[in-house]
Amino acid sequence: MMKIRYDELKVNDVVVFHGANVRIIKVTETPAPANEYYPNEKTIAFDIDPADEEAEKILGKFYSHGSYAGVGCLELELVKRDSQ
């Protein structure tokens, strides 16, 4: 699997998030600076849904349908990206 940064996330990407395969269903970003510690990074927010049955078992019903955010330089493992 390949690692991608939060600021490279796209809708429909399947990524490993806290040990579970989840699908990115929405991505938004706020302009730089994210904060004083990351002055050259944007804040990236994303919403997820489970990508498989196991994801809901790992994260639970609430967290597997959540909204999360972090600075653009954080990384996730990319499982699948649609070629469209």
Side-chain angles (χ1 to χ4, degrees), residues 24-36:
I24 305 297
I25 59 171
K26 181 180 177 184
V27 178
T28 56
E29 64 181 52
T30 57
N35 60 45
E36 64 187 270

Side-chain angles (χ1 to χ4, degrees), residues 21-80:
N21 290 341
V22 299
R23 183 173 308 281
I24 305 297
I25 59 171
K26 181 180 177 184
V27 178
T28 56
E29 64 181 52
T30 57
N35 60 45
E36 64 187 270
Y37 302 106
Y38 296 93
N40 299 318
E41 296 290 339
K42 297 176 183 176
T43 300
I44 308 300
F46 55 96
D47 295 351
I48 63 169
D49 272 343
D52 54 33
E53 291 179 17
E54 192 67 19
E56 200 165 278
K57 291 177 186 173
I58 293 170
L59 297 175
K61 287 183 185 259
F62 180 79
Y63 293 107
S64 64
H65 298 274
S67 297
Y68 301 93
V71 292
C73 62
L74 292 174
E75 293 182 325
L76 294 168
E77 287 189 36
L78 179 66
V79 175
K80 179 183 168 197

